[in-house]
């Protein structure tokens, strides 16, 4: 497949060769910004440091295609002025990722029009980066959500929980004895990051031992590292997030935590929708920009969005708000695993795994709709009556062990 695509691209490139230049202003769902960017509306542009930049200095674009359409989509984009970079299969999702930069005359809208005919089931998005939904810094989370103090409530259903994050240190004291599968979707050229964030999230879910015991202690973990060092800091590209999702879906994991946030993406939305159709429940951090904005993946209707509150049930000051918010959980000054043992951290990153753990307790391997229903039934309303854009349905709680 890849050889055929490259052969077609080589022919088309001869016909369309020209100097590469900055991407022009573009329009199309889910919004419009300059430089080919996408957004949730004109007031929420995709920042330069949220874009994946090719070696040429140009922003990358991603086409998520069915394997049967990939060849036609690639040929059409090259003919329209795109430069093919690489291909990545996502077999469990039944999709193929194609990556391009655009020539000076090609806009996002023009590219979408180019593939609409030959590849109608393919979606095109700016290739973007997702950041840890982590803020800047008592053990209160267990009691706050209705469990006994840390260490006294072990999950007995043996469920496997997926974690898409940075690398996890399975040798950390909080994860000693926890069944953890650890893998990475980074390439040899990617520069890895530290284990702080991933290990903290993993231990919040399934950790064992005193104050660092997770809320779903007894669960198995399958952790996939998708984060690398980028020019704007630590980030996970759409390519790697979809690869991690593909890996977990392929391994039969049906509950996944995603403690990161970034720009909307049609490609990621398609992958999330496919995973949801396969019965996967996905829970994500609402993000910490302090604005009314629905970042991805939390902004997807196929994902349960979680915000953070403190021990007094006040909203985390930096938490995003909006109609996408479904539930609230402890996420301010939460005691989490760190390289030196434990530390306090704040952010919606740390609220999401609390809800993921409670989903494992309340619904186990149930359907997405059942998970949502049980989480809602177990919630304590906060803020305005009913669901609101700050706390969603409210604080999720479990009825003891």
């Amino acid at each position: 497949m890849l050889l055929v695509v490259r052969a077609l691209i080589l022919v088309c490139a001869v016909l369309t060769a020209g100097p590469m230049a900055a991407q022009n202003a573009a329009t199309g769902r889910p919004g419009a910004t300059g430089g080919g960017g996408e957004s949730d509306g004109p007031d929420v542009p995709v920042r330069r440091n949220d874009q994946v930049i090719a070696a040429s200095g140009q922003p990358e674009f991603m086409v998520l295609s069915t394997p049967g359409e990939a060849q036609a989509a690639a040929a059409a984009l090259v003919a329209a002025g795109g430069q093919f970079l690489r291909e990545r299969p996502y077999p469990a999702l039944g999709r193929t990722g194609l990556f391009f930069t655009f020539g000076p005359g090609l806009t996002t809208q023009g590219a979408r029009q180019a593939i609409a005919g030959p590849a109608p089931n393919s979606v095109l998005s700016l290739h973007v980066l997702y950041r840890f939904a982590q803020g800047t810094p008592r053990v209160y989370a267990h009691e706050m959500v209705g469990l006994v103090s840390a260490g006294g409530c072990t999950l007995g259903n043996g469920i496997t929980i997926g974690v898409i994050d940075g690398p996890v240190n399975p040798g950390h004291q909080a994860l000693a004895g926890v069944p953890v599968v650890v893998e990475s979707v980074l390439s040899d050229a990617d520069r890895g990051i530290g284990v702080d964030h991933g290990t903290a999230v993993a231990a919040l879910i399934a950790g064992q031992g005193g104050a660092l015991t997770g809320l779903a202690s007894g669960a198995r973990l399958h952790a996939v590292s998708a984060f690398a060092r980028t020019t704007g800091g630590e980030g996970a590209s759409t390519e790697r997030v979809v690869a991690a999702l593909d890996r977990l879906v392929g391994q039969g994991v049906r509950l996944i935590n995603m403690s990161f946030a970034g720009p909307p993406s049609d490609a990621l939305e398609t992958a999330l929708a496919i995973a949801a159709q396969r019965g996967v429940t996905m829970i994500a951090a609402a993000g910490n920009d302090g604005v009314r904005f629905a970042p991805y993946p939390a902004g997807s209707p196929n994902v349960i969005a979680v915000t953070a509150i403190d021990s007094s049930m006040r909203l985390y000051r930096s938490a995003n708000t909006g109609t996408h918010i479904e539930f609230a959980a402890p996420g301010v000054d939460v005691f989490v695993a760190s390289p030196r043992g434990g530390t306090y951290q704040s952010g919606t990153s740390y609220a999401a795994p609390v809800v993921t753990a409670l989903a494992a307790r309340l619904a186990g391997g149930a359907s997405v709709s059942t998970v949502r229903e049980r989480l809602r039934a177990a919630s304590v309303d906060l803020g305005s009556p009913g669901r609101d854009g700050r706390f969603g349905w409210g604080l999720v709680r479990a009825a003891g062990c």
Side-chain angles (χ1 to χ4, degrees):
M1 163 60 194
L2 181 55
L3 292 177
V4 175
V5 171
R6 284 177 172 166
L8 282 173
I9 286 169
L10 183 59
V11 173
C12 293
V14 173
L15 300 175
T16 60
M20 299 300 291
Q23 173 64 23
N24 296 334
T27 60
R29 198 177 78 84
T33 65
E38 296 182 71
S39 77
D40 196 39
D43 297 327
V44 192
V46 178
R47 300 164 294 191
R48 177 76 176 182
N49 65 0
D50 284 334
Q51 301 176 19
V52 177
I53 305 300
S56 64
Q58 297 300 111
E60 288 188 8
F61 289 80
M62 176 181 181
V63 175
L64 193 65
S65 173
T66 61
E69 290 184 355
Q71 179 177 316
L77 266 185
V78 171
Q83 180 177 345
F84 178 75
L85 300 176
R86 65 188 178 279
E87 174 184 9
R88 185 163 191 167
Y90 302 118
L93 298 175
R95 293 296 186 272
T96 297
L98 305 171
F99 300 86
F100 299 82
T101 53
F102 288 176
L106 183 60
T107 65
T108 307
Q109 183 179 29
R112 287 182 174 136
Q113 291 172 346
I115 67 173
N121 297 304
S122 300
V123 296
L124 180 146
S125 298
L126 184 67
H127 193 194
V128 295
L129 291 164
Y130 299 88
R131 311 290 184 184
F132 290 130
Q134 171 177 291
T136 303
R138 286 160 357 117
V139 177
Y140 70 92
H142 288 73
E143 293 184 4
M144 189 170 178
V145 300
L147 299 175
V148 297
S149 59
C153 225
T154 301
L155 187 65
N157 61 12
I159 190 172
T160 296
I161 300 173
V163 177
I164 301 176
D165 213 283
V168 170
N169 174 19
H172 191 282
Q173 65 185 52
L175 296 176
V178 178
V180 185
V181 174
V182 178
E183 57 180 314
S184 171
V185 293
L186 273 63
S187 69
D188 292 340
D190 292 323
R191 295 184 299 154
I193 67 167
V195 299
D196 302 38
H197 192 276
T199 303
V201 168
L204 275 170
I205 295 172
Q208 296 180 0
L212 293 173
T213 299
L215 287 93
S217 179
R220 298 186 295 266
L221 294 178
H222 191 139
V224 183
S225 176
F227 279 76
R229 298 188 186 282
T230 71
T231 54
E234 300 172 339
S237 65
T238 313
E239 176 181 6
R240 294 194 297 268
V241 172
V242 175
L245 187 61
D246 180 78
R247 192 74 56 86
L248 291 171
V249 171
Q251 292 296 317
V253 177
R254 293 296 177 262
L255 178 59
I256 300 174
N257 186 87
M258 298 179 287
S259 287
F260 51 85
S265 163
D266 284 350
L268 180 57
E269 173 55 36
T270 298
L272 295 169
I274 294 170
Q277 290 165 7
R278 305 284 174 83
V280 180
T281 297
M282 295 163 287
I283 296 172
N288 308 317
D289 297 307
V291 297
R292 189 173 181 83
F293 171 52
Y296 263 52
S300 168
N302 295 294
V303 175
I304 296 172
V306 180
T307 192
I309 57 176
D310 64 16
S311 59
S312 298
M313 299 190 185
R314 297 171 299 195
L315 189 68
Y316 178 47
R317 66 180 183 280
S318 297
N320 291 338
T321 59
T323 56
H324 65 297
I325 303 297
E326 290 194 58
F327 300 104
V332 181
D333 291 332
V334 177
F335 193 66
V336 301
S338 72
R340 295 185 178 183
T343 189
Y344 293 97
Q345 291 285 5
S346 298
T348 58
S349 264
Y350 307 110
V354 172
V355 174
T356 299
L358 292 179
R361 287 186 169 280
L362 293 168
S367 66
V368 178
S369 59
T370 298
V371 172
R372 277 191 157 107
E373 179 183 337
R374 292 184 182 176
L375 288 173
R376 178 180 174 183
S379 295
V380 176
D381 193 18
L382 301 175
S384 302
R387 184 175 178 179
D388 62 66
R390 286 165 53 81
F391 303 98
W393 292 109
L395 169 65
V396 176
R397 288 178 56 86
C401 294

